Amino acid sequence: CHTSGMLTPNGKEYAQKIPREELTHLILKLLQAWKEPLSHFNQHIEHHQQLPDDSLSKAKQISNMVHELKTGVEKV
């Protein structure tokens, strides 16, 4: 995975011990790291007419959720 090199907390207890700003920054880095792969994935599957419409819809929904999450975390 392209984000495997990022140091992330291993479990809820460790995440709760990280200062809030540091954890927020880490979350933003992870969301940003997935932006391009999700976009590429969406572009790729749009060209496959044999995929069911619900699969295409789900892929777009996930990308939208990542974008909305990133926007929300930036506000925090």
Side-chain angles (χ1 to χ4, degrees), residues 23-43:
L23 187 58
T24 302
H25 182 69
L26 175 60
I27 292 167
L28 288 172
K29 282 176 52 177
L30 286 168
L31 291 170
Q32 185 63 35
W34 278 101
K35 182 179 178 180
E36 187 177 329
L38 284 171
S39 176
H40 179 71
F41 176 73
N42 281 334
Q43 291 173 1

Side-chain angles (χ1 to χ4, degrees), residues 37-63:
L38 284 171
S39 176
H40 179 71
F41 176 73
N42 281 334
Q43 291 173 1
H44 180 72
I45 65 168
E46 284 178 359
H47 294 44
H48 288 64
Q49 280 81 23
Q50 69 269 22
L51 288 175
D53 286 341
D54 59 328
S55 294
L56 297 173
S57 175
K58 193 61 151 178
K60 288 181 183 181
Q61 181 184 8
I62 291 169
S63 289

